[in-house]
Amino acid sequence: MARYTEAVCRLCRREGMKLYLKGDRCYTDKCAINKRNMAPGQHGTSRKKLSNYGIQLREKQKAKRHYGVLETQFRKYYEMADHQKGITGENLLRILETRLDNVVFRLGFAASRAQARQLVVHGHFTVNGKKVDIPSYLVSVGDEIKASERSKGLPKFKAQVEEAKGNAPEWLSADLENLQGKVVSMPNREDIDLPISENLIVELYSR
């Protein structure tokens, strides 16, 4: 399972905005954007004007980094979205939102998507009563996500959930006390609060 293993704060600096990849740290003065709001590297202080291609590329990179997805998998999601009915860009965001690691994050069981990914990989959650340890697993309407009984008794797991203090969107129903949630509906575009212009991603892949 491929994943990004370098310093994630560099990603925020490269995009010139907070991607909220480190949970609560992103809301403090320790955030890299607050301390060094420039692109990483020796030429980071000189931001050149981007071409149309450059703007489209940056938008794709931003989306990938928000969801913690690498290029090969992201392109597969785009191809899935392109074959579905409806608007391709919105389909793409909907697919990304329904990844299990993102759903765990959205339900408020983790402070960041990276932390949610780790919890899923370690087998802390079940979907419809069966353990699922694949972060890219795509949930469907009616799916029930629960913390395993073993996990509920782990102090470290409890501490992580309490730290998250999540507020689930309308397409999810969350029960933080019992550490369980349900997919009520598929997310609409207005349910996705990330600053992503998905039409630019579609234009990039349509070249």
Side-chain angles (χ1 to χ4, degrees):
M1 179 180 61
R3 63 189 179 91
Y4 180 82
T5 57
E6 303 297 328
V8 295
C9 290
R10 290 173 61 89
L11 302 182
C12 296
R13 290 174 56 201
R14 183 64 188 87
E15 300 306 328
M17 63 181 296
K18 291 189 179 188
L19 301 179
Y20 299 97
L21 303 178
K22 299 196 76 171
D24 285 347
R25 182 188 177 94
C26 300
Y27 297 94
T28 69
D29 292 335
K30 294 180 180 179
C31 175
I33 288 291
N34 293 338
K35 297 169 74 173
R36 301 178 68 189
N37 190 8
M38 63 184 76
Q42 61 178 333
H43 302 297
T45 53
S46 58
R47 289 187 181 272
K48 296 180 180 178
K49 185 178 180 180
L50 295 175
S51 63
N52 286 338
Y53 172 79
I55 293 171
Q56 294 165 355
L57 181 62
R58 290 264 57 86
E59 206 64 25
K60 182 196 72 169
Q61 295 295 83
K62 186 166 62 175
K64 283 168 51 181
R65 289 163 177 175
H66 266 299
Y67 290 99
V69 177
L70 299 184
E71 178 60 32
T72 301
Q73 194 167 36
F74 193 84
R75 177 173 279 278
K76 287 181 181 177
Y77 288 149
Y78 174 79
E79 290 171 356
M80 286 173 58
D82 194 34
H83 285 86
Q84 292 177 354
K85 292 181 180 179
I87 302 172
T88 301
E90 293 185 10
N91 292 341
L92 174 62
L93 291 183
R94 189 175 297 113
I95 291 169
L96 291 166
E97 280 289 309
T98 53
R99 282 174 54 99
L100 181 57
D101 55 357
N102 181 73
V103 171
V104 167
F105 166 69
R106 291 291 196 188
L107 285 170
F109 299 152
S112 66
R113 288 180 179 83
Q115 188 184 77
R117 180 190 182 102
Q118 186 179 55
L119 291 174
V120 171
V121 168
H122 290 173
H124 288 295
F125 291 96
T126 65
V127 179
N128 299 329
K130 296 181 180 179
K131 185 178 84 169
V132 178
D133 56 6
I134 303 171
S136 60
Y137 178 89
L138 298 180
V139 301
S140 303
V141 175
D143 282 352
E144 294 184 349
I145 298 92
K146 297 181 181 179
S148 67
E149 293 302 319
R150 176 183 63 85
S151 301
K152 288 180 181 179
L154 297 176
K156 185 177 181 181
F157 179 75
K158 286 182 177 179
Q160 287 179 325
V161 174
E162 289 175 2
E163 176 190 351
K165 302 173 185 175
N167 185 20
E170 290 186 3
W171 61 280
L172 295 172
S173 125
D175 181 351
L176 293 178
E177 185 176 346
N178 295 309
L179 297 179
Q180 64 185 45
K182 185 174 182 178
V183 182
V184 179
S185 64
M186 286 289 101
N188 295 316
R189 182 60 186 94
E190 54 268 23
D191 296 323
I192 303 170
D193 57 359
L194 298 178
I196 296 173
S197 298
E198 63 274 12
N199 59 304
L200 294 177
I201 302 173
V202 174
E203 291 172 9
L204 177 67
Y205 279 124
S206 300
R207 279 174 171 266

